[in-house]
Amino acid sequence: MSAAVAEPVAVFGCRPRVAGGVCFLEDQVVLHAAGTGCLRLHLEQKWHKFIPGTEKSRGVQALAVSPNRRYLAVSETVAEQPSLTVYELSSVPARRRRTLTSAELPAREAVSLAFSPDCRYLAAATAPPEGHLTYWLWEKPRLMAAVRVEAPGSGICQVSFSPQDNAQVCITGNGFFKLFKYSEGTLKQVNLQKGEPQNYLCHAWLSEEEVICGTDTGKLILFETGELHWETSVEYKKTPRELEEDATTEEYESSSDVSCGLASEDNGSQQDSLPQISAVAAYSKGFACSSSPGVVLLFEKTKGKEVYKESQEIWLPRDLFSSEPKQSGRQDIICICFSPSEETMVVNTNKNQLYMFTMLSTDLMKEKAAYFAYLNFPLHSASITGLDICIWKPILATCSLDRSVRIWNYKMNTLELYKEYREEAYTVSLHPTGLFCLVGFSDKLRFISLLYEDMHVFKEFAVRKCRECLFSNGGHLFAAVNGNVIQIYSSITFENINNLKGHSGKIHAVKWSADDTKFVSCDTHGAVYEWNLLTGKRESECVLKSCIYSSIALSSDAKIIFAVGSDQTLKEISESSIQHEVPAFGVVYTAVAVSHSGHMVFVGTSLGTIRAMKYPLPLTKDFNEYQAHAGAVTKMSVTNDDLFLLTASEDGSIFIWKVYDKGGGILKWEKEVEYAEEVLIMRSDIEEKSQAMLDLQIRVKELQTENDYQLRLKDMYCDEKIKELEENFTQEIGSLKTKHQILQAEKEKQELQHQFQLSELMNKQAREVQQLESDSNQKLLMENEKYQELQVKSQRMQEEYEKQLHNLEESKSRAVKELTEYYEEKLNEKSVLLEEAKEDMRQQLQAHEEIKKQIEEDEDREILEIKIKYERQLLEEKESNLQLKGETGVMNKRLNSLQKELKERNRDIEEMRLEQQKLQGIIKSLEKDMLALKTEIQERADTIQDKEKHIYDLKKKNRELEKFKFVLDYRVEEFKKQIESRENDIKTMKEQICEMEGELERFHKESTQLKLNITQLQQKLKATDREMHRERQKKQNMEALIKRFKTDLHNCVGFIQDSKKMKDRIRELYTKYVQQSDTVETEALDTDLQQEYMRQREYLERNLAALKKKVKDQEVHQAAYMRIVQENVSLIKEINDLRQELKVAHTQVHDLRSTLRLTKKKQAIQDTAPSSELLSSPAVLRLNAEKESEKIIEMQQLEIQYLRDQIQEKGQVLAVQPLSGGNLPKLNLERSHKRQQQ
C-alpha cells in the first residue's frame, strides 16, 4: 500500500542555546536551528526551506557554516550517541556529505564547531571539564589531531579558526584561553596563559593576530599573538527609557521621602546584576558585543590609546503586546552575526527570538541608541499547548506556556495577531468564522474577539485550568472541560446548555462530529466516550485502563475513532470496540489527525517525528516518517481542503506541511474554498482614527499657511538680493573691460622686449660654447698630470700595506694565545662552582623534605587539638578558627618562601649553564675571526693584483682615447659645416610651410564658398522640382477639362438639327468652361512669374560678382589683419549678447515685480475668504520667479569668472611666452558662447 507524502513549507520556531545558532548564507538568506534540523529563511521573499536532522535526532547542539557558504556542519545527539555531520548546501535539497566518527576518543557531544578559511578542515570542541579539541580533514573523513583541554570547571566553550591560517585554532572557556598550532599530526599550544584565569564566555578573531574575548565579569580583553594587548570593562547598561524614568523619579524624590526608599530599592536590585559579555562578533570597522541583557554595543577601531571605542548602543525593542513590556526587551543575546555585505545584523536570544538591525542606518542616525526589529515576527518561547484552525480564513491559533496567544496565516507564512497575558494558556479554539476564539487560562476561560490589531476579551467563564475547549463545526456551540466534566455552552447566549459527566480521569481530548450531533472525548483512565448531545447521555464507550489516552481523531462520517496513548499503538475504534491496533515500533504516539477525505492518517510521536500513512491502517512499517520537532508533538490538525497539515510541539515550534499523494501530486479538495477577508474593529478605535485624521488635516492646513508666509518672505529677500547683485555685476563688468584693454597694451610692449632678449641670448650662447671648448682642452692636460702622480703614490701605499699586514699577524697570534689561557682558567673555576652549587641543592632538598614532614606532623597535632577544643568549647570556635587561619597562613608563607628559594637556585644553575655556553660561543667566534682575517689577507693580495691590471688597462685606454679625440675634433668641424647647410634648409622649409599654410586657408575659404553654392543650387533644384510637379498637375487638370469638354461637345452634336437646344447647350458650355476673369488672371500670373524670375536671376548674378570681388580682396589682405578683425567681431558679439541678457534680466525683474503686486492685491482680496479656498497659482508663480532669478545670477557669475580667467591667462602669456610672429593670438570665445547657451 502506498503511503502519503508530506513536505514542510514553513517553520515558525527557533531552537535555543545552540552554539553559532544563527548565520547568513547570502545577504537575504538566514540559517538558524529549528526543531531537529536547520531552517533557511529568505528575508524578502519569505520562503522557508527546512534541512531535517539525522534519524532519531534529539536536536542540534552546535552548527557552523563554511566561509564560502557551501557547507554546513551540525553537532547533534542521535539515539543517545553524539553525531557530527557535514551537509552540502549548494545541492537542492541539502545533501548529507560526511558523518565524522572516531573510535579513539570518548563519545561526547561537540558544543562548538568551526570551519577553516579554505573550508577543508573542521575543528570541534566538547564541553569541559573533560573536554577535547579535535581537528578533522572532513572530506576524507580523517581525524588529523586531538588534544585534551583541561579546565577547572564546566561552562561555555567556543572554538574558532584564524581568518587566514588553516593551522591556527583558538579555544576559550571557563578558566582558559588557548591558541593551538597544527603541525606534523599534533596540536601544539602556542601561548602561555598569564595572570588570573577568567571565565571566557565568547571570542572572535579581528585579524590574523588579534582575538577579542568577553568574560562573565563584563571585561573585553584583546589578545595579540596570544599576549594581552588591551583590556576594558563594560558597565551594566540601562535602556534609554529606564534612564528617563530614573530622571523623573529623582525629581519626584526631592518632594517625597517615601518614593526615595522605593527608588533606592530598585536601584539596589539593578546594581546587583553584573554585566557579562554573552556574545561577540567581528566586522570590518571593529566588533559588536552584548554586555547586558537586551543590548548590543558596537565598537570601532581608533588610533589613540584606546584601541577600540564604543560607537553605538542597539537595544531590543519593548513588546507593547507583552504583559511585562519592560522585561520583554531584557533578553540575553546568545549569538550575533553579520551579513556578507555587513548591511544587516541578526541576533538570537535566550527566549527563542530573532531580531535584525540594518547597519546602514548607523551612519545616518545621530543618536547613540538605536533599536532592533523582529527578523519576521515574535516566536513562541515555551511549549505549545493548543492549536486550532477555522473554515472561513487560512489562519491557525496557538497558545503556549509563555502566556501568549498567536494567530498565524499558513498561506502567507505570517503572524497576524499576537498578545501576551498574565496567566498561562492551556488550550485554544477558533470559531469557524475566524473572528472569535476561546482560550483556557489557569484562572478562567475567556471568549476573545479577534480585532484588526488587537484581541479583546468579550466574555469570561468561571472554568479554572481548562485543559481542552472546542467550538462546534457550526460555531453555535462550544465545549469546555472543567475537571472531569464537559460543559456545553451556546456561543450566542453564552448559557450552559448541557453538562456531560462520566469521566473518572483527566480529559485529554474532545472532538465534534461533522453535523454537531455527536461528541467524543478521552481521558487518562483509558476511556473513550461517544456522547449524544440531544439527550446528553453516552451512546457508546470503549475502556482500556492500561492506556493513558493523549489524543483522538474522528472520521468525516463520525463512525470511526482514531486514538493514541501511552501503550505505543494507534487504535481504530468503532461500535464501542477496538477494531484494529497498529504498533508504533518503539515510540509513543502523542497526537493524531485524519484528513477530511478519510484516506490519510497523520501521527505525531514523543520524539517529535511525524508519520504519514494511508487508510486502511497498515500493520507493517508502511508509512513515511519525517524528522521535524525536537520535542513531543502536542497538537496536530489538517485543513478543511486537505492541503496542509499543521503540527505543534513542546519545543515551541510550529510546522506547516504540504500534503501530497505517492505520485507527488497535491491532494485537491472537491470545491475550491474562497476565504473571507472581513475583520472586526472596535467603534472606539474607528472614532480615535477619524479624530486623528481630522487633527492631521488641521495640521496640514496650518503648515500650508506657514509655508505660504515663508515663501513671501523669501520672495522679498530674493528681490533685494537681485538688485544688489545686478549693481555689483555691472560695476565688475566695467572694471574688467578696462583691465582687459590695459593688459592688451602691456602685452604688445612685452612682445617687443622678448624679441630683443632672444637676440641677446643667442649671441651669449655662441660665446659660451667657444669658452667651454678651450676649458675642456686645458682640463684634459691637467688630468694627465694627476694620473702620473697617483701612479707613484699607489706604489708607495702598496709597500706600507705589506709591512702593516706582517705586524698584524704577529699581534693576533699573541692575543689568541692569551685569550685561550684566560678562558680555560675561568672554565675550571666555573665547573668547581657548579659542583658546589649542586651539593648545596642536595642539602637544601633534604632540608626541605624534613621541614615538610615536620610541618605535616605539626598540622596533624593541631587538627586533633582543634577537634577536642571544638567539642568542649563551642563558644570559642571563632577564636580558634582565627588562630588556625593565621598559623596555616604562616606555614603557607614558609612553603612559598622555600619554593621561591628552590626556584632561585634552579635559576642560578641555568644562568651558570648559559654563561658556560656563552664562553664556548666566544671561543668559537674568535676561531672564526682568525679564519676570516686569513681570508681577508688573501683577498687583499688578490685585489692589489687586480688593481695593477686595471691601471695597465687604463693606460692603454688613455692612448686610444687620445687617438679617438683627434678623430672627433675632425668630425666636429665637419658637423659644424653640415649644421650651417641644414639651418639654411630649415629656413627655406619654414618659408615653404608659411606659403602652404596660406594656400590651405585659401582652399578652406574656397571650399566654404563651394559648399554655399552647392546648398543654393540644391535649393534651386528643389524649387524647380516643385514647379515641375505643379506643371504636371496643371497638365493633368487641363487634360481632364479637355475630356469633359469633348464629351459635352459630343452631347451638343446630338442636338444639331434642333437649333434652339443647340444654342442653349453652347451657352452652357461657354458659361461652364470660359470665364473672362480666368483668362485675365492666367495672363497676369505668367507675366508676374517671368518678372520675378528675371529679378532673382539678376540678384544672384550681382551676389556672385560681389563675392568674387570679396574673395580676391581677402586673398590680398594679410592673415594678421583678418585675425584682428575676427577678434573684434567676436568681442562686439559678446558685448551685444551681454546687453541682450541685461535687457532680458530687466524685463524679468519687471515681470516679477508686477506679479508680486498682483499677488499682494489678490491676497488683500482673499483675506476675507477662508484659508482652505486659497489658490495655489501665486505660489507657483513665486517658485518660477525664484528659479529664474537664480538662473540669472548663476549666468552672470559664470561670465565674470570666465573674464577673470581670461585676464589671468593673458597676463601669464605676456610674462612667459615669447611670440614668434607679430600677430595677436585668437581669443577662445567658444566656451563663453556655450555657457551663454546653457
Side-chain angles (χ1 to χ4, degrees), residues 846-976:
Q846 288 174 359
H848 176 65
E849 285 174 0
E850 288 174 2
I851 290 159
K852 252 184 141 180
K853 286 177 184 177
Q854 287 175 5
I855 289 160
E856 285 171 359
E857 288 171 2
D858 293 339
E859 281 179 351
D860 292 335
R861 287 171 191 167
E862 284 171 359
I863 288 159
L864 289 167
E865 288 172 1
I866 288 157
K867 281 182 181 178
I868 293 158
K869 285 176 184 177
Y870 184 71
E871 288 171 358
R872 288 177 182 175
Q873 295 176 351
L874 286 168
L875 296 170
E876 295 176 359
E877 187 181 0
K878 290 179 181 178
E879 294 175 2
S880 63
N881 277 329
L882 290 167
Q883 288 174 3
L884 282 167
K885 282 177 184 177
E887 288 172 0
T888 50
V890 171
M891 296 305 290
N892 285 324
K893 284 176 184 176
R894 285 182 188 173
L895 275 167
N896 290 325
S897 63
L898 288 167
Q899 285 173 355
K900 284 177 183 176
E901 285 176 5
L902 271 169
K903 286 176 182 177
E904 286 173 359
R905 289 297 169 88
N906 288 325
R907 284 174 192 166
D908 292 337
I909 290 159
E910 284 174 1
E911 285 173 0
M912 295 289 280
R913 284 176 186 168
L914 289 167
E915 281 181 3
Q916 188 179 352
Q917 287 172 2
K918 283 176 184 177
L919 290 167
Q920 287 174 354
I922 289 161
I923 290 159
K924 287 176 182 176
S925 65
L926 288 167
E927 287 173 355
K928 286 177 184 177
D929 290 335
M930 286 281 288
L931 292 167
L933 287 166
K934 285 177 182 177
T935 52
E936 277 179 7
I937 290 157
Q938 288 175 356
E939 285 171 1
R940 286 187 180 181
D942 294 330
T943 51
I944 288 159
Q945 289 175 359
D946 292 330
K947 281 179 181 178
E948 285 175 354
K949 287 176 183 176
H950 188 61
I951 288 158
Y952 182 73
D953 293 330
L954 285 168
K955 284 178 181 178
K956 279 184 180 178
K957 281 181 183 179
N958 196 9
R959 288 170 190 168
E960 287 172 359
L961 285 166
E962 283 175 356
K963 291 175 184 176
F964 193 65
K965 184 193 168 190
F966 181 76
V967 174
L968 283 170
D969 290 332
Y970 180 75
R971 292 183 80 180
V972 164
E973 288 175 358
E974 288 179 350
F975 280 131
K976 281 179 182 177

Side-chain angles (χ1 to χ4, degrees), residues 36 60 109 309 335 368 408 462 582 642 738 768 809 832 965 1005:
T36 56
V60 179
E109 195 171 33
K309 192 176 181 182
C335 182
K368 193 179 179 184
W408 311 83
V582 178
D642 286 349
T738 53
E768 285 176 358
E809 282 176 359
V832 171
K965 184 193 168 190
K1005 286 167 186 173

Side-chain angles (χ1 to χ4, degrees), residues 124 454 650 768 885 945 1000 1004 1027 1124:
D454 197 8
E650 288 179 356
E768 285 176 358
K885 282 177 184 177
Q945 289 175 359
L1000 264 171
H1004 283 306
E1027 284 175 1
I1124 290 159

Side-chain angles (χ1 to χ4, degrees), residues 74 177 467 671 745 838 841 1145:
V74 175
F177 165 78
R467 297 282 176 178
K671 295 178 182 178
K838 283 178 183 177
M841 275 286 291

Side-chain angles (χ1 to χ4, degrees), residues 308-325:
Y308 289 92
K309 192 176 181 182
E310 183 187 334
S311 61
Q312 193 169 15
E313 296 174 6
I314 307 166
W315 289 90
L316 295 182
R318 282 189 180 183
D319 196 345
L320 299 174
F321 294 102
S322 174
S323 58
E324 295 177 353

Side-chain angles (χ1 to χ4, degrees), residues 578-613:
I578 299 166
Q579 300 295 329
H580 294 287
E581 278 191 74
V582 178
F585 303 101
V587 182
V588 177
Y589 288 146
T590 56
V592 64
V594 183
S595 65
H596 293 271
S597 63
H599 299 305
M600 303 183 69
V601 179
F602 301 96
V603 186
T605 68
S606 58
L607 295 177
T609 58
I610 306 297
R611 291 180 179 179
M613 54 189 81

Side-chain angles (χ1 to χ4, degrees), residues 58 383 590 604-608 629-635 648-651:
R58 300 309 301 272
S383 174
T590 56
T605 68
S606 58
L607 295 177
H629 301 280
V633 178
T634 54
K635 295 289 175 182
S649 169
E650 288 179 356
D651 66 350

Side-chain angles (χ1 to χ4, degrees), residues 447-476:
F447 188 94
I448 297 170
S449 300
L450 301 178
L451 304 178
Y452 177 59
E453 291 178 341
D454 197 8
M455 296 183 188
H456 176 66
V457 177
F458 185 73
K459 182 77 175 174
E460 292 183 345
F461 302 92
V463 181
R464 289 178 62 81
K465 293 185 179 179
C466 178
R467 297 282 176 178
E468 285 295 324
C469 67
L470 191 67
F471 275 103
S472 64
N473 291 312
H476 60 293

